[in-house]
Amino acid sequence: KAGVTQTPRYLIKTRGQQVTLSCSPISGHRSVSWYQQTPGQGLQFLFEYFSETQRNKGNFPGRFSGRQFSNSRSEMNVSTLELGDSALYLCASSLGGTGRNEQFFGPGTRLTVL
Amino acid sequence: AQTVTQSQPEMSVQEAETVTLSCTYDTSESDYYLFWYKQPPSRQMILVIRQEAYKQQNATENRFSVNFQKAAKSFSLKISDSQLGDAAMYFCAYRVPTSGTYKYIFGTGTRLKVLA
């Protein structure tokens, strides 16, 4: 079974631009979560989607948004990029149910904002 | 506030030796899971070990084991017989139910260096 894939792996943008990141979960997984990883901050939760609905949201400004498609693939969009948005963005998928469901992470997208 | 604290930004261990990574957390929930994730330099995060809060027995996965002290809200990871491939960032996390779903809280990570 293929793992979680994220595209692109690397992005360089300038301040003020917008960016869209993509995540394809493991087949059969209905939950997709997004995290921002920066040195010293660890992983900060952005949001979770389940069956095309945002089920949970972290404390990020409205410039960060996402969506999930019927095939469970998810996209994350960041508008009006700021220098501080430079980070590794990780996507994780899970079955989405209760109990011992674990998250499986993708390799991440490294975003650099100049 | 729900937090996870990893007080050791960096640790070193000699190959074949044992190392313990510490983690403390703060939650008022009684039903939760605890995890240790490993992130090698290639950046793909993988699950190392998990512990259900309602289980008193410490989880073990081959060379990896945890010391779960629920009252102290402590969840340390012990790596025995350390190998060069163990070098990575290690993140402690817990998952709590919230509003019909779950929320994962991660620590800031501990970078483990394994010395040959």
Side-chain angles (χ1 to χ4, degrees), chain A residues 4 9 35 37 40-43 45 48 55-56 88 90 97-103 105-107 110, chain B residues 33 35 37 39 42-45 47 50 52 55 91 95 98-104 106-109:
Chain A
V4 179
R9 292 292 310 276
Y35 295 89
Q37 183 181 0
Q41 292 291 318
L43 276 73
F45 173 72
E48 181 210 1
R55 195 162 68 166
N56 207 351
L88 180 70
L90 294 171
T98 59
R100 292 167 55 91
N101 285 304
E102 67 173 274
Q103 288 190 327
F105 284 84
R110 169 72 64 186
Chain B
Y33 287 79
F35 304 87
Y37 282 91
Q39 188 180 44
S42 66
R43 297 291 186 176
Q44 192 97 29
M45 190 98 70
L47 178 67
R50 101 181 93 209
E52 292 90 334
K55 288 189 176 179
F91 291 95
R95 187 188 82 175
T98 177
S99 305
T101 180
Y102 290 93
K103 181 166 59 175
Y104 285 80
F106 283 80
T108 52

Side-chain angles (χ1 to χ4, degrees), chain A residues 17-35:
Chain A
Q17 287 187 308
Q18 77 165 22
V19 67
T20 299
L21 313 181
S22 180
C23 171
S24 292
I26 290 171
S27 178
H29 285 193
R30 297 167 63 190
S31 169
V32 173
S33 295
W34 288 91
Y35 295 89

